[in-house]
Amino acid sequence: MKAADITSDIRDAFKRNVLLDANKIHIKPNGNKVILHGKVSNYAEMDESEQVAWSALGANSVDNQHIRWRNNMSITEYDNTDEQVIGSGWITAIAIVMIVLGIIAIAFPFFATIASTVLFGWVFTLLELPKLLMPFNREARVKSLGK
C-alpha cells in the first residue's frame, strides 16, 4: 500500500473520531511505519490517535511522538532525546548553587542558621509591607471591604 493511501486512511479516521482534533495531528509516513506529530491535550487523545493509526491498513508500525499541552506547558511524550529541546541550563545552574549552599550549611550550621533567619525575616517583612501600609491608603481599604 502506498504511503499517501495510508496517510489519507488515517486522516479520514481521525476526522471521524470525536475524541481527536484531526487538524492538530500530523501524519508522516515512512514506508509501512507511521510517525504521529502534533499537540494533544491529554493522554486519552494521544492513545486514541495511536490506536486509530494502528487500525489503518498497511500501517505495520506507529511511532507516537505527540507533544501533550497542559496549562501552556509542553510535556514531551517520546524518548528521542536528539529531538527534545529542554531549556535545562538554568535548572542545572540553580541545582549546582543549591548543592553548594547545602554543603556550606552542613559545614557551618551556625552561619546557615543566621543566614536563613535573616532571609526569612526579610521575606516575611516584604510580604507584610503592603498590609502595614493599607491603613494609610483609603482606596485599598475600600477595595478590601468590597465597597
Side-chain angles (χ1 to χ4, degrees), residues 50-145:
E50 185 173 357
Q51 290 193 6
V52 168
W54 269 108
S55 67
L57 290 174
N60 295 337
S61 174
V62 176
D63 187 7
N64 196 349
Q65 297 183 354
H66 285 307
I67 297 175
R68 187 169 68 89
W69 284 86
R70 179 184 57 184
N71 298 335
N72 296 326
M73 294 174 54
S74 77
I75 304 166
T76 56
E77 300 294 342
Y78 54 92
D79 294 329
N80 291 342
T81 54
D82 58 330
E83 292 184 19
Q84 290 182 357
V85 179
I86 301 173
S88 63
W90 284 103
I91 295 171
T92 305
I94 291 172
I96 291 170
V97 168
M98 291 302 211
I99 290 170
V100 169
L101 289 175
I103 292 170
I104 292 171
I106 291 170
F108 303 104
F110 176 75
F111 296 113
T113 303
I114 299 295
S116 64
T117 303
V118 170
L119 174 73
F120 285 114
W122 276 107
V123 168
F124 293 145
T125 301
L126 293 175
L127 289 175
E128 291 297 319
L129 193 59
K131 291 182 185 176
L132 291 173
L133 298 177
M134 187 185 275
F136 302 109
N137 187 351
R138 185 186 181 313
E139 291 83 19
R141 277 191 317 221
V142 171
K143 285 182 183 177
S144 69
L145 295 174

